């Protein structure tokens, strides 16, 4: 049995929304969770919803062959989204806004504006906003020339002329992408006031239409399909092709038309005609859209946020002054963001200036906008190192940033290799080669997350640095394969053992690992599988885990978002328990543990259990050979499994039930992991 991936993902987004509803969460962090929910939902409409609409129109037999796409899936998705949006509004209006008021912060959210603020708003409009406004009339001549850009905000205004006979419609942009979304107004009676840019424009529309009567004003926005429709093959001009697609993306086919629910029906129908919209793409909402901007709400006190946790330092690494000397003695395993990212930066920074370093290889998927790591690669190339970067230009929503850095690296002499159009290189790995006195020494780095020092501050990930000879040889083998930029039959001869590489040996090894545990269970031995990933969706792997559960293998799964596997069905999954954890850090690491006790086999890496990861991308899992680090990752998993503060059980029908506290002392996994690592240090 497979659950629908989109309804499962929506249950994850509901869990995000529940954090905004939790009074224990600091006030501004609750605003941030509302922002994340809104941002996630926008991405859903841009990325997944077009596919859902397309699949729902297939013939029943074809749709059923896909799995998880029942006949009424569109209705179920729309109903779930509607319920979540209603909950969002209730949490914001009935709970968060009153809490802000208690802190003497008044957020003008659909509220009457005090007359004391009107002149101030007019001044802001005339001096800071007006130059970015472009009113457009929707008349017979221009209506087909206007296309709302993706995720941009607009007012639709109905107008009458001086004779009050002719009704016109106009569009006014709300330039939140160029002007800040929130403005702080003057304090009155010790109360601080915050207002939307939207309301500043709304209160001053008369200056845009001085000789006409404004009959109605309604906010709208459109989401557009975010998929890049690249050609199957390309040999040259790849940057130009991607850039051209990015330019088109803001005017791609619409996937959601969001309009203020007070808009008259005749105007809704008129706009649907103008923008070429179907009924499935239209959603009513409130006055304010793009509430992902709540993450930018003006801050008045640090007390409204989570208390900062200083990342734990790796003193033995940083105090030595030479990370390569440390690695010659032992491997390094880091747990982010609990531990400092500085050893990673040191790894690349020292390589850039070390006279003995001759070659650097790295895969790049999503990098920071001002990336210290790429600056180190540029310096290394300028210092005469042979630097090869495997760049994924198809990392959705990061294409432009990757293109920017690609051009800078190329100008500096870095050799760039772009992945073939039919796959994504999603692995996170790097290799540094040193040569001195005729001998060669290699240093490998594997991560469950991107080489991004910004996300490393709030994504939970693991990172391994090692000089293990077999591992570094296999990583070099992978990089040499990626240079070929082809996936023909000759590549089948490439062998991996220490590394699990998708499209090569990853699925067969995972199959064997599950089979080993089934054999143990059938022999009456302890048999256990523990997996922590972002998503579980691949039908073949799910069915293998069902089989293992039926054979008596104890299976503990932690899935942050999508989970198409169903627990709680006795005939299929009585030994399978699935949990989800949502807390201050985004759970992003991937851990695979097969077996119990000292015999357990542990892998970590970049792969989720999704069809795209296992069959259509280049992913890498690395076997953890150090007994100390195996135990550390097992302990890490078990701490998460013990969470009874932020964890929920995933049950059939997309239900989520809080893990009940039984000891009287709550275990918050993210706090406990920090304490565990601090004690080990």
């Amino acid at each position: 049995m497979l659950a629908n991936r989109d309804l499962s993902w929506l249950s994850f987004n509901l869990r995000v929304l529940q954090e905004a509803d939790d009074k224990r969460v600091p006030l501004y962090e609750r605003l941030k969770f509302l922002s994340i929910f809104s941002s996630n939902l926008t991405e859903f409409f841009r990325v997944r919803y077009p596919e859902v609409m397309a699949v729902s129109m297939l013939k029943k037999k074809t749709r059923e062959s896909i799995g998880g796409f029942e006949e009424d899936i569109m209705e179920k998705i729309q109903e779930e989204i509607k319920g979540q949006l209603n909950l969002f509004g209730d949490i914001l209006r009935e709970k968060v806004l009153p809490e802000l008021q208690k802190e003497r912060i008044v957020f003008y959210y659909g509220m009457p504006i005090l007359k004391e603020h009107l002149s101030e708003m007019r001044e802001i409009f005339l001096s800071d906003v007006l130059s970015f406004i472009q009113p457009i009339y929707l008349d017979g001549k221009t209506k087909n020339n206007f296309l709302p850009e993706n995720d941009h905000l607009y007012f639709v205004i109905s107008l009458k002329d001086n004779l009050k006979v002719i009704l016109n419609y106009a569009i006014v942009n709300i330039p939140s992408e160029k002007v800040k979304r929130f403005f702080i107004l003057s304090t009155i009676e010790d109360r601080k006031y915050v207002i939307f840019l939207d309301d500043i424009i709304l209160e001053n529309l008369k200056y845009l239409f001085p000789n006409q009567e404004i009959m109605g004003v309604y906010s709208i926005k459109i989401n557009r399909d975010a998929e890049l429709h690249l050609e199957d093959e390309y040999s040259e001009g790849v940057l130009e092709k991607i850039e051209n697609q990015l330019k088109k993306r803001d005017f791609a086919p619409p996937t959601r038309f969001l309009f203020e629910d007070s808009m008259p029906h005749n105007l809704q129908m008129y706009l649907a005609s103008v923008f070429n919209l179907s009924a499935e793409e239209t959603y009513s909402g409130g006055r304010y859209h793009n509430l992902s901007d709540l993450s930018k709400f003006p801050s008045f006190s640090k007390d409204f946020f989570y208390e900062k946790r200083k990342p734990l330092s790796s003193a033995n690494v940083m105090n030595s002054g030479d990370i390569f000397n440390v690695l010659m003695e032992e491997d390094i395993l880091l747990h982010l963001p609990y531990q400092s990212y500085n050893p990673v930066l040191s790894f690349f920074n020292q390589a850039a200036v070390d006279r003995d370093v001759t070659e650097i290889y790295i895969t790049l998927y999503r990098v920071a906008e001002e990336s210290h790591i790429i600056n180190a690669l540029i310096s290394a190339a300028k210092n005469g190192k042979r630097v090869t970067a495997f760049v994924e230009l198809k990392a959705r929503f990061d294409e432009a940033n990757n293109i920017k850095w690609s051009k800078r690296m190329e100008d500096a002499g870095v050799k760039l290799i772009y992945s073939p159009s039919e796959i994504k290189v999603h692995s996170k790995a790097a290799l540094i080669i040193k040569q001195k006195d005729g001998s060669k020494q290699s240093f490998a780095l594997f991560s469950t997350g991107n080489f991004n020092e910004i996300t490393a501050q709030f994504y939970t990930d693991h990172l391994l640095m090692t000089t293990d000879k077999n591992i570094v040889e296999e990583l070099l083998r992978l990089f040499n394969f990626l240079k070929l930029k082809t996936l023909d039959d000759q590549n089948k001869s490439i062998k991996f053992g220490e590394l699990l590489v998708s499209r090569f040996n990853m699925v067969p090894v995972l199959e064997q690992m599950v089979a080993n545990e089934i054999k143990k269970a059938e022999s009456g031995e302890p048999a256990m599988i523990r997996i922590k990933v972002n998503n579980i969706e691949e039908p073949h792997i799910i069915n293998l885990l069902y089989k293992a559960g039926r054979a008596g293998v104890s299976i503990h799964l932690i899935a942050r978002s999508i989970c198409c596997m169903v627990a709680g069905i006795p005939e299929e999954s009585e030994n399978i328990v699935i949990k989800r954890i949502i807390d201050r850090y985004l759970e992003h690491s991937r851990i695979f543990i097969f077996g119990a006790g000292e015999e357990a086999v542990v892998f970590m890496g970049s792969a989720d259990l999704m069809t795209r990861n296992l069959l259509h991308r280049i992913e890498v899992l690395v076997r953890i050979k150090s007994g100390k680090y195996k135990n550390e990752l097992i302990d890490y998993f078990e701490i998460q499994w013990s969470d009874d503060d932020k964890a929920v059980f995933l049950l059939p029908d997309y239900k989520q039930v809080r893990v009940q506290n039984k000891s009287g002392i709550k275990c918050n996994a993210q706090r406990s992991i920090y304490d565990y690592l601090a004690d080990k240090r």
Side-chain angles (χ1 to χ4, degrees):
M1 178 179 177
L2 293 177
N4 176 264
R5 63 170 285 176
D6 298 296
L7 287 173
S8 177
W9 182 90
L10 287 170
S11 75
F12 151 70
N13 212 28
L14 174 62
R15 180 67 192 87
V16 171
L17 189 55
Q18 289 169 348
E19 284 300 285
D21 198 22
D22 190 338
K23 289 184 176 181
R24 299 173 302 162
V25 175
L27 185 53
Y28 271 49
E29 303 291 350
R30 295 173 71 181
L31 282 172
K32 193 178 295 184
F33 278 112
L34 290 172
S35 165
I36 294 168
F37 169 87
S38 181
S39 176
N40 286 348
L41 191 58
T42 293
E43 184 172 338
F44 175 82
F45 274 104
R46 297 200 66 198
V47 176
R48 285 297 306 167
Y49 200 67
E51 182 177 334
V52 174
M53 286 195 296
V55 171
S56 68
M57 291 186 284
L58 297 174
K59 292 182 179 179
K60 182 178 180 181
K61 188 173 181 180
T62 306
R63 192 174 61 246
E64 288 175 347
S65 68
I66 298 172
F69 275 95
E70 52 263 42
E71 193 166 354
D72 58 348
I73 192 64
M74 280 292 292
E75 291 83 355
K76 287 182 177 179
I77 287 173
Q78 290 169 348
E79 182 181 352
E80 179 63 27
I81 290 172
K82 183 178 179 180
Q84 290 187 15
L85 287 173
N86 288 337
L87 178 59
F88 178 100
D90 289 343
I91 292 170
L92 179 56
R93 288 190 303 269
E94 307 301 326
K95 299 180 180 180
V96 175
L97 293 184
E99 289 296 321
L100 284 170
Q101 293 240 21
K102 288 180 183 178
E103 300 294 339
R104 308 193 71 75
I105 300 169
V106 179
F107 181 19
Y108 279 127
Y109 190 89
M111 297 166 52
I113 296 167
L114 297 177
K115 61 182 181 181
E116 292 90 337
H117 285 140
L118 293 177
S119 62
E120 186 177 359
M121 291 166 59
R122 181 171 60 251
E123 184 174 351
I124 292 171
F125 176 78
L126 294 174
S127 61
D128 297 342
V129 178
L130 187 55
S131 63
F132 298 100
I133 300 289
Q134 297 106 33
I136 296 175
Y137 283 92
L138 291 179
D139 54 32
K141 298 178 182 178
T142 62
K143 72 177 185 180
N144 294 324
N145 295 330
F146 172 69
L147 280 176
E149 291 189 56
N150 172 67
D151 237 19
H152 285 212
L153 302 174
Y154 301 92
F155 282 132
V156 178
I157 303 151
S158 55
L159 301 161
K160 275 191 177 181
D161 63 10
N162 285 333
L163 299 176
K164 303 189 187 306
V165 174
I166 301 175
L167 182 67
N168 292 320
Y169 295 117
I171 299 281
V172 170
N173 62 307
I174 302 171
S176 58
E177 71 284 356
K178 296 176 180 177
V179 181
K180 60 186 179 181
R181 187 75 188 279
F182 303 106
F183 286 81
I184 301 173
L185 301 178
S186 298
T187 299
I188 298 175
E189 295 181 356
D190 198 32
R191 291 183 181 274
K192 301 173 179 65
Y193 288 81
V194 178
I195 194 165
F196 276 108
L197 166 66
D198 317 34
D199 286 328
I200 290 175
I201 296 172
L202 180 63
E203 285 294 324
N204 291 280
L205 284 174
K206 61 186 177 183
Y207 296 105
L208 299 177
F209 308 102
N211 298 316
Q212 298 178 78
E213 183 181 355
I214 297 174
M215 306 299 294
V217 183
Y218 314 97
S219 60
I220 66 167
K221 85 160 186 176
I222 280 183
N223 292 129
R224 297 185 179 278
D225 188 349
E227 190 58 63
L228 286 175
H229 302 288
L230 296 171
E231 297 175 12
D232 289 339
E233 296 291 340
Y234 48 78
S235 55
E236 60 183 23
V238 63
L239 290 181
E240 288 76 12
K241 289 191 177 190
I242 300 273
E243 285 176 322
N244 287 336
Q245 289 289 353
L246 285 173
K247 291 174 185 175
K248 296 176 185 177
R249 175 181 280 176
D250 281 344
F251 301 102
T255 58
R256 176 173 64 158
F257 172 54
L258 191 59
F259 58 88
E260 191 171 344
D261 53 15
S262 61
M263 180 184 289
H265 185 68
N266 65 323
L267 181 53
Q268 296 173 31
M269 300 300 291
Y270 173 68
L271 293 175
S273 172
V274 170
F275 302 143
N276 193 26
L277 298 160
S278 68
E280 292 82 7
E281 295 160 349
T282 59
Y283 282 80
S284 65
R287 162 55 55 90
Y288 308 105
H289 309 312
N290 281 7
L291 291 178
S292 56
D293 287 339
L294 287 170
S295 62
K296 304 169 189 172
F297 192 81
S299 171
F300 299 101
S301 171
K302 65 179 182 180
D303 295 335
F304 300 151
F305 297 90
Y306 287 122
E307 184 179 352
K308 285 196 175 294
R309 291 179 188 149
K310 184 178 180 181
L312 301 167
S313 67
S314 301
N316 63 317
V317 176
M318 302 310 294
N319 289 345
S320 74
D322 190 333
I323 194 167
F324 301 119
N325 280 341
V326 175
L327 283 169
M328 292 295 291
E329 298 296 326
E330 64 173 346
D331 292 352
I332 296 172
L333 179 67
L334 298 177
H335 308 281
L336 309 172
Y338 308 103
Q339 293 175 305
S340 172
Y341 199 65
N342 288 339
V344 183
L345 300 178
S346 180
F347 184 80
F348 292 105
N349 292 342
Q350 289 186 40
V353 298
D354 191 318
R355 295 180 62 183
D356 297 331
V357 170
T358 57
E359 297 177 72
I360 301 174
Y361 296 87
I362 188 171
T363 59
L364 297 173
Y365 192 74
R366 300 185 195 276
V367 298
E369 286 194 22
E370 299 300 327
S371 174
H372 291 287
I373 290 173
I374 294 189
N375 279 319
L377 298 177
I378 289 171
S379 294
K382 290 182 176 180
N383 290 337
K385 323 295 183 189
R386 292 194 298 275
V387 182
T388 304
F390 300 86
V391 181
E392 182 49 76
L393 292 177
K394 301 185 293 295
R396 187 182 284 120
F397 303 128
D398 279 83
E399 302 94 347
N401 191 47
N402 287 359
I403 288 171
K404 175 192 78 173
W405 281 114
S406 295
K407 290 178 176 179
R408 292 187 188 178
M409 286 190 288
E410 195 166 40
D411 289 343
V414 175
K415 181 179 180 180
L416 300 182
I417 297 177
Y418 305 116
S419 62
S421 62
E422 71 271 21
I423 64 168
K424 284 186 178 182
V425 177
H426 189 253
S427 59
K428 295 89 170 59
L431 182 66
I432 291 172
I433 299 174
K434 295 178 70 172
Q435 291 196 3
K436 185 176 183 180
D437 300 330
S439 64
K440 184 168 76 171
Q441 180 64 53
S442 299
F443 305 83
L445 185 156
F446 300 90
S447 179
T448 66
N450 298 301
F451 295 123
N452 187 317
E453 58 267 30
I454 302 303
T455 56
Q457 298 174 36
F458 53 91
Y459 280 28
T460 70
D461 277 304
H462 309 292
L463 193 143
L464 176 73
M465 302 180 199
T466 183
T467 58
D468 183 280
K469 188 173 181 180
N470 293 329
I471 291 177
V472 297
E473 285 180 357
E474 289 189 11
L475 182 56
L476 183 59
R477 196 176 302 157
L478 174 62
F479 282 133
N480 286 332
F481 155 72
L482 291 175
K483 287 181 184 179
L484 300 176
K485 294 181 64 176
T486 179
L487 295 171
D488 57 31
D489 290 337
Q490 295 179 7
N491 304 140
K492 304 290 185 178
S493 61
I494 301 175
K495 302 297 182 185
F496 297 98
E498 304 293 346
L499 303 182
L500 306 191
V501 182
S502 56
R503 302 180 69 100
F504 289 91
N505 67 333
M506 185 177 290
V507 171
V509 172
L510 292 178
E511 290 172 338
Q512 186 59 54
M513 289 288 136
V514 174
N516 290 345
E517 295 308 305
I518 291 175
K519 187 175 180 180
K520 290 179 190 175
E522 291 174 342
S523 301
E525 301 174 42
M528 192 172 197
I529 296 173
R530 288 165 282 185
I531 297 174
K532 177 181 185 290
V533 287
N534 296 333
N535 305 297
I536 301 174
E537 172 263 350
E538 208 286 313
H540 174 60
I541 297 296
I542 288 175
N543 286 326
L544 282 178
L545 293 173
Y546 280 148
K547 180 180 178 181
R550 289 194 297 270
V553 179
S554 176
I555 300 175
H556 291 175
L557 304 176
I558 300 175
R560 185 195 75 216
S561 48
I562 296 169
C563 184
C564 295
M565 194 165 180
V566 181
I569 300 175
E571 65 272 16
E572 287 198 328
S573 55
E574 59 185 358
N575 292 312
I576 299 171
V577 182
I578 309 174
K579 294 182 180 180
R580 168 182 288 148
I581 297 174
I582 303 295
D583 201 354
R584 65 184 292 181
Y585 302 138
L586 179 75
E587 293 294 340
H588 191 257
S589 63
R590 290 96 168 184
I591 307 171
F592 298 78
I593 307 168
F594 297 95
E598 295 296 320
E599 302 302 315
V601 179
V602 180
F603 299 93
M604 53 155 270
S606 62
D608 282 318
L609 294 179
M610 300 189 75
T611 301
R612 69 185 188 193
N613 299 89
L614 299 179
L615 303 180
H616 303 302
R617 292 183 173 185
I618 297 297
E619 306 277 7
V620 175
L621 301 178
V622 59
R623 188 189 303 263
I624 304 299
K625 301 171 80 172
S626 160
K628 177 176 73 171
Y629 290 147
K630 273 175 52 175
N631 291 335
E632 207 165 278
L633 283 172
I634 292 171
D635 288 348
Y636 187 104
F637 184 96
E638 289 302 322
I639 292 172
Q640 292 225 300
W641 194 254
S642 300
D643 188 294
D644 53 15
D645 185 31
K646 296 294 185 177
V648 294
F649 291 109
L650 300 189
L651 302 179
D653 296 327
Y654 314 102
K655 292 177 182 175
Q656 304 177 82
V657 176
R658 292 271 187 178
V659 175
Q660 295 299 310
N661 176 266
K662 296 179 180 179
S663 65
I665 303 175
K666 276 193 175 294
C667 172
N668 178 286
Q670 293 189 357
R671 188 186 312 118
S672 297
I673 288 169
Y674 183 89
D675 294 340
Y676 166 84
L677 294 171
D679 289 342
K680 287 187 76 69
R681 183 188 63 170

